[in-house]
Amino acid sequence: MNNSPTLLIHGGAWAMPDDAIEAHEAGIAKAVEAGYALLERGASAVDAVEAAVAVMEDDETFDAGRGSFLTQDGRVQLDALLMNGENLRTGGVACVERLKNPIHAARLVLDHSPHVYFVGTGAERFAMQHGMRLIDNTELIVPRERERLMAFQKAELEGATDTTFSGPLGSHDTVGAVALDCNGHIAAATSTGGTLSKAPGRVGDSSLIGCGCYADDASAAVSLTGWGEPIMKLVLGKWAVDRVAAGVSPEEAAESAIRYLYHRLGGYGGIILLDRHGRFGLAHNTPRMAWGLKTADAMQVGVTRNV
Ligand code: ASP
């Protein structure tokens, strides 16, 4: 098969302020270019989503890698998952504190372990044994996030309503990618610092298989962002790809997944979906979502707004 490749990525879905848009668009564009350049050279969909996500982990704009939201106790704890739709090989890590790029650790798990998922110090040890450098947690922390945590915790003490998903205080800036390669295989990746002021040890949907990320050539590849707890309870990634397997278009499956998230549990978030024919869908019920798409014919980068 000689398919025309496609890469679709997101950089979070939230009440993004006007002055954050430029940085999001720039970061998305860079990630799309990096992932698509690999696809053009014949690399696998797994290589492309890993590369695109790594670029966004390195960009402080997003809630992934350096620049992530902080936990209640002021640390960065990262989760990531990578899945290959060709053979369902999967690698995931959660609650890692000393890895610059958790998506590369997820790739090492996918490639080199009979297991699928590692957490905490075990994940860090596995990554180190396979050549990754361990860093100090402070290298992942930026001043903006110390300030954001302080403002959030102060507002909480004062009894302010939690506006994490739609209000001015909070944001959801998890990153993700889905790709179709020239051999007709699809893959998905998601990486996050989780939610602002999360309890240490909390794991969200992003790195859980079938929740914030899933890929199967027989259905579709998916990555989600948003309020992790409702997404997990609905196993929403798998819910969406199962609709595609049942014959629903990715466009309609994406819309209905977000409707289901809201109507069943009052959740907010965004989703990207791609099948092996290159058909895709994107939906969100947050005020804005950052995303980028590249195919042989077009490149689009944008921050869409819900009216
Ligand atoms: N879904 C992520 C989590 O709950 C947060 C996000 O999408 O930004 O950890």
Side-chain angles (χ1 to χ4, degrees):
M1 202 187 290
N2 195 9
N3 284 59
S4 164
T6 300
L7 178 67
L8 175 61
I9 72 173
H10 70 79
W14 54 291
M16 192 181 298
D18 290 343
D19 63 6
I21 290 183
E22 206 182 309
H24 279 77
E25 288 184 344
I28 291 271
K30 216 171 140 193
V32 168
E33 296 289 5
Y36 200 81
L38 290 173
L39 290 173
E40 271 181 322
R41 292 204 294 270
S44 68
V46 180
D47 287 341
V49 293
E50 180 189 1
V53 163
V55 168
M56 292 187 281
E57 287 178 338
D58 287 341
D59 186 332
E60 291 173 15
T61 305
F62 304 100
D63 177 30
R66 180 174 154 83
S68 286
F69 292 153
L70 302 183
T71 59
Q72 260 167 22
D73 54 0
R75 295 176 71 76
V76 167
Q77 272 193 351
L78 304 170
D79 309 333
L81 191 88
L82 182 62
M83 186 158 182
N84 185 345
E86 180 185 2
N87 48 24
L88 305 192
R89 289 193 68 154
T90 307
V93 296
C95 293
V96 292
E97 296 191 346
R98 294 188 298 160
L99 297 173
K100 183 168 160 286
N101 291 105
I103 200 68
H104 292 329
R107 178 61 189 264
L108 290 170
V109 175
L110 184 151
D111 283 341
H112 300 295
S113 177
H115 307 309
V116 166
Y117 201 87
F118 285 75
V119 299
T121 51
E124 291 167 356
R125 192 178 321 126
F126 179 86
M128 192 180 67
Q129 283 164 351
H130 290 80
M132 282 182 75
R133 191 172 70 87
L134 296 190
I135 60 171
D136 194 88
N137 193 252
T138 53
E139 289 182 45
L140 297 169
I141 299 175
V142 298
R144 178 195 69 212
E145 293 309 323
R146 282 197 212 280
E147 280 157 32
R148 196 198 302 270
L149 181 69
M150 264 160 43
F152 181 86
Q153 292 183 337
K154 184 166 173 281
E156 254 187 344
L157 277 177
E158 287 164 0
T161 323
D162 180 352
T163 54
T164 307
F165 300 95
S166 54
L169 260 187
S171 56
H172 277 86
D173 245 352
T174 289
V175 304
V178 290
L180 166 68
D181 64 31
C182 61
N183 291 313
H185 300 302
I186 54 177
T190 309
S191 180
T192 189
T195 48
L196 176 59
S197 194
K198 67 184 179 183
R202 176 264 188 191
V203 177
D205 63 301
S206 308
S207 69
L208 296 185
I209 191 165
C211 298
C213 189
Y214 197 77
D216 184 347
D217 279 6
S219 50
V222 65
S223 175
L224 285 115
T225 178
W227 186 5
E229 279 70 13
I231 294 171
M232 287 157 74
K233 289 174 191 168
L234 299 173
V235 198
L236 198 58
K238 186 68 163 61
W239 188 95
V241 302
D242 283 349
R243 297 266 142 351
V244 178
V248 175
S249 73
E251 199 181 346
E252 176 48 31
E255 296 284 348
S256 55
I258 294 299
R259 275 199 305 271
Y260 178 45
L261 173 66
Y262 184 74
H263 291 302
R264 186 69 183 90
L265 289 174
Y268 287 90
I271 183 170
I272 55 174
L273 256 179
L274 173 71
D275 74 7
R276 63 180 313 194
H277 308 293
R279 301 180 310 163
F280 65 89
L282 180 153
H284 61 108
N285 63 350
T286 50
R288 284 175 163 158
M289 179 164 176
W291 59 276
L293 170 76
K294 193 160 163 73
T295 64
D297 315 316
M299 167 145 172
Q300 279 174 276
V301 169
V303 175
T304 50
R305 180 196 275 276
N306 266 332
V307 280

